[in-house]
Amino acid sequence: MNIRDYMKDHFLFLDGGMGTLLQEAGLQPGELPERWNVTHPEEIIRIQKSYYDAGSNVVLSNTFGANGLKFDDEELEQLVTAAVKNAREAARQSTGTQEKFVALDIGPLGKLLKPYGDYEFEDAVAMYAKTVKFGVAAGVDLVFIETMNDSYDTKAALLAVKENTDLPVFVSNAYGADGKLMTGASPAAMVAMLEGMHADAIGANCSLGPDQLVGVVEEYLEYASVPVLLKPNAGLPRAENGKTVYDVFPPEFSESVGKLLEKGVRIAGGCCGTTPDYIRAVVEKSKSITPVPVTEKNLSLVSSYTHAVKFGESPILIGERINPTGKKRFQQALRENDIDYILGEALKQQDAGVQLLDVNVGLPEIDEPAFLLRAVRELQAVTDLPLQLDTTDPVAMEAGLRAYNGKAMVNSVNGKEEVMSVIFPLVAKYGGFVVALTLDEGGIPDTAEERVAIAEKIIKRAADYGIDKKDLIFDPLAMTISADTTAALATMQAVHRIRHDLKVNTSLGISNVSFGLPSRNIITSTFFALCLQDGLSAAIMNPYSQEMMNVYHAFRALHNMDENCMDYITYAQNLPAPTMTAPAAGAAPAAGGEAAASGSGEGPSSELQKAIVRGLKEKTGSLTKAMLAEKKPLEIIQSEVIPALNIVGADFEKKKVYLPQLLMAAEAAKSAFEEVKVAMAASDEGNSGSSRCPFVIATVHGDIHDIGKNIVKLILENYGFAVSDLGKDVPEQTVVDEVVRLHAPIVGLSALMTTTVPAMEETIKLLREQAPWAKVCVGGAVLTQEYADAIGADRYCRDAMETVRYAEEIDEELKKSN
Amino acid sequence: MDRKALLREALAADKQTIPQYLDYESPSVNVTEWLRYSCIPVYEQENAAKDPELASSMEKALSLTDSALSFRVGFLVVPLSWDEDGFPVFPFEQRSEKLKKNLLGCDKAVLFAATIGSGIDRLIRRFEKADPKMGLLLQGLGAERVESLCDAFNEEVKEICKETGRETRMRFSPGYGDLPIEVQKVFLPLLDAERRLGITLSESCLMAPSKSVTAIIGVC
């Protein structure tokens, strides 16, 4: 019988622990258990048979650690093939009369993926794929991914399975005592991602006993529409006479597991410390329990690598600011590969209170697939908000969805067949919550009825791809009322009907409605309130607009979505005080208490300089803005910002200020630069944001310490250098390629560990061969002048200021020689 | 069994023990060390303390990390033997003169790994670009936290050894002096650190979560 069919009406029983039983059979510490498939097949078969005899329906092949990191391809194939054969033989020999299946067991690679570790996501997918291919060729009934403690790693393994077989796949994660995966994911986040990728059953194993996993299991049962599995440890381990023993025994174990079967768990077994006796007890216990039917929960979820966001209850705010349309400053950032600017926009919107971020990096002259991929990875390194991938390029969409850690929101499809036929397959494969625009080959219909008709068509077409309407969210399109005053009415009616008649979520790009009108905020925010009343589930909006945020908070309070109005009260308390009389910009501030932080002879000579020296970020920004009315942007840099930085820099060199103060001043200066960049982008002065030479900076191959490098980068940027930051753990040739590409006259390399200095030396060697013009300065905790000389660097720079001084030297020489 | 009882039993064993795992409450914060790890030298700290901006940033760092950290230690005890050149024999290859000197006269050693989890790395990521000063303070705080955790564990080992008139040596870490960092490749699997503590190793033998420590404590 097919396991998918069998599961529909029966509990499914898994096996129990393997490790302890192998040790009892003589496996030595440090010996790889997978090798026993070939050297001791009789022991493996004996143990697995005892599980089938105890009533297990599914026994996992002895392949937990069988992966390409531990074994070469030839041995891996041999071990996996033997393991599957052993499990089959155990099933054959068993006297049990139950349905029996063999699962290919897949455990984690033991590598932490980027950005927190050093292992590439795609390498992990390829590594898991090897084991999957060998296992499938050997003839298993299903694949069982287990003990995964990181959501990205789980995605890599599941993707490898899905790309190599149509067999059923179960996915089990290992939760900590805090109810989260080691890298932070909640059960709901895992449900969203794994169901999106069509796992057949999901749940938890290992790490804890059944009683400690109750909370995790309950969360699975609340969110999951597929069967939930549980494979807990026999409680918590402790040592007794040099052996590990567990504190929960078969009677209590089966009692605890039985309670969870009654609550809805459909698949159960045991992990560390459990034996056939535990399984037998669970099977026995289950005889008095009727399986709870698995029901469709109809939840509309997106997720990040930490949490899930549910649509359809409290309205969801999606920040619209990561989008180049109509934003010169943003376009400039895209052209200059300035990812930090985009990350800054993300964090600002998160602080402003959005629950999701729209990410649009489409600009005709950039490589959108590559940039979207990079943006997704970098954004997920700094923010835990789920992302909405916003692109019309299907190649970019696939790159982004594949790299995304979680279940992303997809923006967008529409009623055009050519769009649905390329986007829906991507959603079916990677999972996703899809924005569907109610337009088609005939354009945007004028009436609500016609838009609803398109929505119905899209729902049907999505179903062909196995995508349920719970994973669709319709955008019935807000058009400006300045062109047609019936436009907003049609949109609101469409929102109402899609939400209440079709029972599907709705979203709108709100601000279009007021295009072409004065004081747009008044129209936009009122329209937002009206749409929310009609059932709008989400809005792509500007979270910096106080009017919009007012509407959102008031709506939630008025609609009983805000218990005791607590969110509203907190919001209201943090509103800026009404400005009675706006102080004239740039006016002299009150005297007193403005003493410069530095004790140097050359004190700051203007308010702007003082603000920078004291690290006052906002004040620096507003003073710069005011000053831009009178002075040219570059003049402000030359006569104000750089002198202020020199004061702080000199004090740092004299040890009169310390690093945090230097960083604060640098941050303040950065806000001055931002204002200048905005002004220059607006006046089309071009991209001459930096007036100094390019500077390539990297932490060398094998080293992941980048605190020092990041500080040097920040200060260099402040001094006007066009810094290209390659990040950390950068391969030697990558550094060289970037130096060649920019024809950069100077390179900065950082290493913290003695073990990675050879990589630094190698990088310098390659630079001398392929980019002989470039000067190389080096820094980092282990480096000294002698060391720098020995590896052939041009200069050892002990801190950020020394690097600046050296870069200035090179820049001056360059300017002279030109 | 409480922590001390576990440790006492392991230290009394006459053969290599299985790895065991201990949970700790958050140790109290050593502000001097925190600031030192944040690049504010000890002699500057009195001056720094007057800076209200720094004080409020420190407060924020503490509240951010309040519920984001966990304090776990995995350890095992090995009896020591010596090879013909007088180097202590471990399950990993090493010929470190400094470790040899450190362990001279010891008959067993505690091998441990301590971590405060990956929450701190997420926070550092979140802040290091948007607010470098906060990034630096979080880096410093993370380093102080994991060192304080090691101190707490080390102190308990020391106390238990004292009960039977034994003493402990300064803890000694892979990567320190002439003890190669590559021993981590054997050290961490001995403690089943990936599964039980969530510590993984990069190609260049660095640990993630970054605020993790492995070390050896000699007992004589």
Side-chain angles (χ1 to χ4, degrees):
Chain A
M1 194 183 212
N2 179 310
I3 190 169
R4 285 188 179 119
D5 293 333
Y6 180 80
M7 277 159 58
K8 280 180 192 150
D9 309 309
H10 302 85
F11 285 124
L12 193 68
F13 298 103
L14 307 169
D15 59 8
M18 191 80 186
T20 3
L21 299 181
L22 284 174
Q23 275 162 23
E24 279 170 14
L27 181 81
Q28 295 304 305
E31 198 179 353
L32 293 172
E34 293 75 25
R35 290 218 165 97
W36 271 43
N37 290 314
V38 173
T39 59
H40 300 74
E42 68 293 340
E43 293 294 344
I44 305 290
I45 293 168
R46 182 182 57 78
I47 294 169
Q48 292 181 328
K49 174 178 175 292
S50 67
Y51 277 117
Y52 281 125
D53 287 347
S56 296
N57 299 104
V58 177
V59 164
L60 309 189
S61 61
N62 178 33
T63 51
F64 182 81
N67 62 58
L69 288 173
K70 289 198 185 122
F71 305 100
D72 63 31
D73 285 7
E74 196 186 333
E75 187 178 16
L76 184 62
E77 179 169 20
Q78 192 195 5
L79 297 183
V80 172
T81 309
V84 174
K85 200 173 136 216
N86 292 340
R88 280 274 172 237
E89 179 57 23
R92 197 190 62 78
Q93 289 180 10
S94 168
T95 51
T97 53
Q98 77 278 24
E99 288 282 336
K100 301 188 195 76
F101 305 96
V102 172
L104 174 69
D105 187 26
I106 295 191
L109 293 173
K111 288 281 179 188
L112 189 60
L113 302 186
K114 289 180 176 179
Y116 296 105
D118 69 333
Y119 206 68
E120 279 291 347
F121 175 76
E122 291 296 344
D123 290 345
V125 176
M127 210 49 93
Y128 286 120
K130 283 187 188 183
T131 307
V132 172
K133 282 183 203 158
F134 292 143
V136 170
V140 291
D141 302 306
L142 70 150
V143 182
F144 199 105
I145 299 169
E146 58 148 329
T147 326
M148 292 281 173
N149 57 16
D150 171 50
S151 86
Y152 211 23
D153 201 18
T154 313
K155 175 167 178 172
L158 182 52
L159 203 53
V161 174
K162 285 286 169 189
E163 290 186 330
N164 288 288
T165 176
D166 294 325
L167 286 175
V169 52
F170 293 7
V171 183
S172 179
N173 288 100
Y175 288 87
D178 60 352
K180 304 272 167 64
L181 297 189
M182 200 260 298
T183 46
S186 68
M190 293 313 295
V191 172
M193 182 178 88
L194 297 173
E195 283 198 358
M197 294 178 70
H198 306 288
D200 292 273
I202 56 180
N205 76 298
C206 205
S207 59
L208 300 165
D211 289 341
Q212 291 95 30
L213 281 170
V214 168
V216 167
V217 169
E218 284 175 344
E219 194 169 328
Y220 268 94
L221 291 171
E222 181 187 344
Y223 285 90
S225 302
V226 297
V228 172
L229 69 87
L230 174 64
K231 208 172 184 294
N233 289 349
L236 301 171
R238 62 189 163 80
E240 221 174 73
N241 302 323
K243 281 171 69 181
T244 312
V245 295
Y246 285 82
D247 64 358
V248 176
F249 298 97
E252 305 106 277
F253 185 84
S254 60
E255 194 65 33
S256 301
V257 172
K259 278 187 195 139
L260 292 168
L261 292 177
E262 279 166 3
K263 284 190 174 164
V265 168
R266 293 292 299 261
I267 303 167
C271 203
C272 306
T274 61
T275 62
D277 289 341
Y278 286 74
I279 303 303
R280 193 171 289 113
V282 170
V283 173
E284 197 49 44
K285 178 84 203 167
S286 74
K287 287 184 178 154
S288 60
I289 304 169
T290 317
V292 178
V294 179
T295 54
E296 171 57 56
K297 303 298 186 297
N298 271 318
L299 298 176
S300 298
L301 300 173
V302 296
S303 68
S304 68
Y305 57 94
T306 56
H307 65 280
V309 171
K310 198 195 285 184
F311 284 70
E313 293 169 4
S314 176
I316 303 298
L317 301 180
I318 305 170
E320 68 175 13
R321 305 299 295 175
I322 302 180
N323 190 323
T325 313
K327 301 190 192 84
K328 281 194 171 163
R329 176 64 190 92
F330 199 97
Q331 292 170 9
Q332 186 192 348
L334 282 182
R335 283 194 206 95
E336 292 176 358
N337 225 352
D338 180 2
I339 200 91
D340 286 357
Y341 180 83
I342 295 171
L343 302 183
E345 281 294 326
L347 294 172
K348 264 188 347 205
Q349 293 186 87
Q350 181 166 19
D351 288 344
V354 302
Q355 288 95 36
L356 251 84
L357 298 168
D358 184 78
V359 183
N360 183 325
V361 292
L363 209 58
E365 61 268 41
I366 71 158
D367 177 358
E368 195 181 344
F371 204 99
L372 186 61
L373 174 81
R374 179 164 178 226
V376 165
R377 293 215 164 129
E378 300 255 5
L379 281 165
Q380 290 206 293
V382 301
T383 173
D384 61 356
L385 293 185
L387 304 180
Q388 166 169 290
L389 309 183
D390 182 356
T391 175
T392 52
D393 177 351
V395 178
M397 185 62 87
E398 174 153 28
L401 280 175
R402 192 174 172 92
Y404 185 76
N405 186 356
K407 178 185 178 191
M409 202 159 164
V410 174
N411 189 4
S412 57
V413 296
N414 56 48
K416 289 181 191 167
E417 182 54 34
E418 62 183 55
V419 174
M420 290 190 283
S421 64
V422 295
I423 299 298
F424 281 148
L426 297 179
V427 175
K429 177 173 180 183
Y430 298 105
F433 182 55
V434 191
V435 180
L437 311 179
T438 58
L439 61 85
D440 63 9
E441 288 83 357
I444 302 172
D446 289 334
T447 67
E449 287 71 26
E450 290 166 289
R451 292 185 203 180
V452 174
I454 293 177
E456 288 175 317
K457 177 174 86 179
I458 295 174
I459 291 172
K460 280 206 190 91
R461 203 72 189 89
D464 295 341
Y465 292 91
I467 299 164
D468 191 88
K469 67 179 186 180
K470 73 177 180 182
D471 278 325
L472 296 176
I473 179 166
F474 284 103
D475 182 340
L477 300 160
M479 316 281 276
T480 176
I481 52 166
S482 65
D484 173 2
T485 47
T486 67
L489 283 173
T491 304
M492 289 185 284
Q493 281 166 11
V495 165
H496 188 92
R497 292 199 43 197
I498 291 170
R499 182 70 189 269
H500 295 99
D501 299 349
L502 303 186
K503 305 209 178 332
V504 183
N505 285 300
T506 53
S507 169
L508 279 172
I510 294 287
S511 37
N512 292 346
V513 75
S514 58
F515 191 78
L517 291 173
S519 298
R520 288 182 63 183
N521 254 329
I522 298 173
I523 297 289
T524 309
S525 60
T526 307
F527 178 61
F528 182 37
L530 295 172
C531 289
L532 287 173
Q533 185 63 27
D534 272 317
L536 187 71
S537 345
I540 305 178
M541 47 77 75
N542 175 6
Y544 310 146
S545 158
Q546 196 185 315
E547 288 89 339
M548 290 290 285
M549 297 309 285
N550 289 348
V551 167
Y552 168 76
H553 286 284
F555 178 83
R556 289 187 73 244
L558 293 165
H559 268 251
N560 188 28
M561 293 170 173
D562 180 3
E563 205 177 333
N564 298 325
C565 304
M566 286 313 288
D567 291 343
Y568 176 76
I569 291 167
T570 310
Y571 170 74
Q573 281 169 344
N574 288 309
L575 282 174
T579 40
M580 303 303 278
T581 48
E594 290 282 326
S598 82
S600 82
E602 299 245 347
S605 62
S606 74
E607 286 310 316
L608 178 54
Q609 289 190 15
K610 274 185 200 164
I612 294 171
V613 169
R614 295 188 57 211
L616 305 174
K617 206 166 153 180
E618 268 141 43
K619 194 170 173 195
T620 302
S622 60
L623 287 173
T624 308
K625 209 168 180 173
M627 202 176 267
L628 279 163
E630 301 148 27
K631 289 189 179 175
K632 283 212 163 117
L634 286 178
E635 193 187 330
I636 297 178
I637 300 286
Q638 291 304 335
S639 65
E640 299 287 339
V641 182
I642 297 284
L645 281 169
N646 279 335
I647 293 168
V648 188
D651 283 351
F652 177 74
E653 286 165 330
K654 290 180 207 147
K655 297 195 173 21
K656 283 184 178 161
V657 300
Y658 39 90
L659 192 55
Q661 286 175 322
L662 182 66
L663 289 178
M664 275 155 67
E667 273 297 291
K670 208 168 154 186
S671 68
F673 279 112
E674 271 309 314
E675 293 297 339
V676 166
K677 276 195 180 177
V678 169
M680 296 209 309
S683 67
D684 277 324
E685 259 183 64
N687 302 335
S688 54
S690 72
S691 51
R692 282 177 157 149
C693 67
F695 189 116
V696 174
I697 192 166
T699 297
V700 298
H701 201 185
D703 210 326
I704 55 165
H705 295 93
D706 62 353
I707 312 171
K709 183 219 67 186
N710 290 340
I711 291 167
V712 175
K713 176 200 172 187
L714 179 69
I715 308 292
L716 279 168
E717 280 179 336
N718 267 298
Y719 277 85
F721 289 94
V723 182
S724 171
D725 178 10
L726 298 173
K728 57 193 178 186
D729 191 11
V730 184
E732 293 80 356
Q733 191 59 44
T734 310
V735 176
V736 178
D737 290 346
E738 183 71 355
V739 173
V740 172
R741 187 179 78 82
L742 298 170
H743 201 81
I746 179 162
V747 185
L749 299 174
S750 166
L752 192 100
M753 305 195 304
T754 43
T755 46
T756 54
V757 173
M760 184 178 263
E761 188 172 10
E762 181 61 23
T763 311
I764 295 174
K765 210 177 104 207
L766 287 181
L767 280 167
R768 298 302 184 220
E769 287 164 14
Q770 300 172 41
W773 63 85
K775 297 280 185 200
V776 184
C777 60
V778 296
V782 296
L783 283 150
T784 57
Q785 186 62 54
E786 295 74 42
Y787 227 151
D789 293 341
I791 61 173
D794 293 295
R795 183 72 68 95
Y796 162 66
C797 296
R798 61 183 302 273
D799 59 28
M801 286 316 297
E802 275 197 28
T803 315
V804 167
R805 301 296 178 228
Y806 183 55
E808 282 177 335
E809 267 176 44
I810 307 279
D811 188 52
E812 292 299 316
E813 277 171 33
L814 215 62
K815 282 191 176 127
K816 266 184 223 154
S817 62
N818 280 346
Chain B
M1 239 192 304
D2 70 359
R3 281 201 306 262
K4 284 202 173 170
L6 274 176
L7 273 167
R8 200 171 287 123
E9 190 181 301
L11 282 161
D14 49 8
K15 52 183 186 178
Q16 180 171 332
T17 68
I18 57 160
Q20 310 226 45
Y21 306 91
L22 310 173
D23 286 305
Y24 284 80
E25 294 294 312
S26 173
S28 58
V29 178
N30 181 334
V31 176
T32 307
E33 285 297 284
W34 174 13
L35 291 178
R36 193 173 67 77
Y37 285 124
S38 307
C39 305
I40 303 175
V42 177
Y43 58 84
E44 284 287 346
Q45 288 184 5
E46 201 180 321
N47 206 5
K50 292 174 195 148
D51 186 340
E53 296 229 13
L54 183 68
S56 81
S57 295
M58 287 172 70
E59 215 163 280
K60 189 178 170 196
L62 285 175
S63 76
L64 281 167
T65 50
D66 191 31
S67 58
L69 311 181
S70 59
F71 298 87
R72 293 207 86 197
V73 174
F75 76 96
L76 54 82
V77 181
V78 294
L80 285 179
S81 59
W82 311 80
D83 68 11
E84 61 265 33
D85 297 326
F87 289 103
V89 177
F90 282 104
F92 40 82
E93 286 284 314
Q94 57 80 31
R95 292 179 75 77
S96 160
E97 292 288 346
K98 285 192 173 152
L99 181 62
K100 176 173 153 184
K101 203 174 149 203
N102 177 288
L103 294 177
L104 202 68
C106 294
D107 63 344
K108 52 181 69 180
V110 179
L111 274 53
F112 76 96
T115 183
I116 60 168
S118 61
I120 187 76
D121 288 327
R122 288 198 292 277
L123 281 172
I124 290 168
R125 280 270 173 183
R126 164 96 167 75
F127 282 95
E128 69 183 354
K129 290 217 162 121
D131 185 351
K133 171 198 43 157
M134 183 57 74
L136 188 67
L137 285 174
L138 288 166
Q139 286 277 10
L141 183 56
E144 182 280 330
R145 298 285 63 208
V146 72
E147 285 299 332
S148 289
L149 172 61
C150 290
D151 289 345
F153 172 75
N154 204 340
E155 195 51 42
E156 287 182 354
V157 171
K158 200 169 158 184
E159 279 173 29
I160 287 157
C161 287
K162 241 185 208 152
E163 295 170 0
T164 51
R166 293 163 143 273
E167 279 178 28
T168 57
R169 296 283 160 80
M170 290 264 286
R171 60 177 183 263
F172 197 104
S173 285
Y176 179 75
D178 56 356
L179 181 60
I181 189 120
E182 283 73 21
V183 307
Q184 297 276 47
K185 286 182 191 164
V186 180
F187 200 121
L188 286 166
L190 274 178
L191 292 163
D192 198 7
E194 196 233 323
R195 208 137 60 118
R196 301 302 305 275
L197 299 169
I199 301 177
T200 60
L201 215 50
S202 79
E203 286 300 308
S204 47
C205 292
L206 295 175
M207 286 180 282
S210 69
K211 303 308 176 200
S212 305
V213 169
T214 53
I216 299 165
I217 304 171
V219 179
C220 57

